[in-house]
């Protein structure tokens, strides 16, 4: 469930502002489609959450109180209150609630550091949102939406393990 190194190389070459622009576009769109996500964090909304894919040369910082995401190149990752490290596909599977977070954590495929209570609040908020990235990303594609949704759903079905279950 890792991104092949050859596919990660372009992220080393693409200027960081371009990566960040694309990331912010998707983030903004997902937040528009799931507006209550950060409201569910309660006191943890002011925390800084890091998502650090172990198989990509970049990491992501999400600041719910500012409704903001930023992209950072490794090894210059920002300070966080809570962070998750694991394969990119694994992190996306957790975002959508398609993987059992406890099983992934205890299998050591996922590392959580910092404020565990904040990370649990985020996990619960994500679990309630029913994020579907192929649908969310596809809706950005205008007349190509059905094609993009099908392609993204097919990719997801091929990269996530067949035994992947729900968190709850």
């Amino acid at each position: 469930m890792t991104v092949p190194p050859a596919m990660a190389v372009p992220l080393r070459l693409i200027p960081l502002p371009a990566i960040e622009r694309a990331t912010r576009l998707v983030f903004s769109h997902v937040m528009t489609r799931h507006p209550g996500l950060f409201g569910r964090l309660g006191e943890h909304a002011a925390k800084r959450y890091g998502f650090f894919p172990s198989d990509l040369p970049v990491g992501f910082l999400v600041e719910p109180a500012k409704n903001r995401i930023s992209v950072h190149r490794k090894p210059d990752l920002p300070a966080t209150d809570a962070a998750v490290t694991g394969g990119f596909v694994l992190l996306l599977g957790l975002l959508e609630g398609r993987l059992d977070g406890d099983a992934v954590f205890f299998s050591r495929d996922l590392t959580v550091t910092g404020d565990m209570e904040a990370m649990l609040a985020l996990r619960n908020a994500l679990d309630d949102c029913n994020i579907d990235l192929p649908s969310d990303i596809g809706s950005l594609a205008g007349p190509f939406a059905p094609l993009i949704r099908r392609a993204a759903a097919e990719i997801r079905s091929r990269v996530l393990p067949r035994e992947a279950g729900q968190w709850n």
Side-chain angles (χ1 to χ4, degrees):
M1 250 196 304
T2 61
V3 173
M7 290 181 70
V9 168
L11 290 177
R12 294 186 209 295
L13 305 175
I14 297 171
L16 195 58
I19 298 169
E20 194 161 65
R21 181 176 168 94
T23 301
R24 286 183 174 165
L25 175 67
V26 172
F27 177 81
S28 174
H29 192 67
V30 169
M31 293 310 302
T32 298
R33 292 183 63 134
H34 306 280
L37 172 62
F38 291 153
R40 293 179 177 99
L41 291 176
E43 68 186 77
H44 302 290
K47 303 286 173 86
R48 295 165 45 100
Y49 295 87
F51 299 91
F52 305 136
S54 55
D55 49 358
L56 295 181
V58 296
F60 306 91
L61 176 69
V62 175
E63 297 174 272
K66 297 177 181 176
N67 201 31
R68 181 171 62 193
I69 189 168
S70 54
V71 182
H72 305 268
R73 290 208 192 272
K74 293 177 181 175
D76 301 321
L77 297 173
T80 63
D81 295 299
V84 177
T85 302
F88 184 64
V89 171
L90 178 108
L91 294 176
L92 291 178
L94 291 171
L95 172 70
E96 288 189 301
R98 294 186 177 275
L99 296 175
D100 180 336
D102 293 332
V104 173
F105 176 77
F106 288 113
S107 71
R108 298 180 189 229
D109 291 331
L110 179 75
T111 303
V112 180
T113 57
D115 187 336
M116 296 298 261
E117 192 175 326
M119 195 55 74
L120 182 59
L122 179 60
R123 174 187 161 171
N124 291 337
L126 288 169
D127 198 30
D128 290 343
C129 275
N130 299 315
I131 293 173
D132 181 352
L133 286 175
S135 177
D136 291 345
I137 293 170
S139 66
L140 286 169
F144 299 104
L147 176 66
I148 298 299
R149 280 188 196 110
R150 279 194 306 272
E154 178 64 22
I155 291 168
R156 177 178 61 199
S157 72
R158 290 176 185 250
V159 297
L160 287 180
R162 296 282 182 241
E163 66 277 1
Q166 295 294 323
W167 282 9
N168 55 3

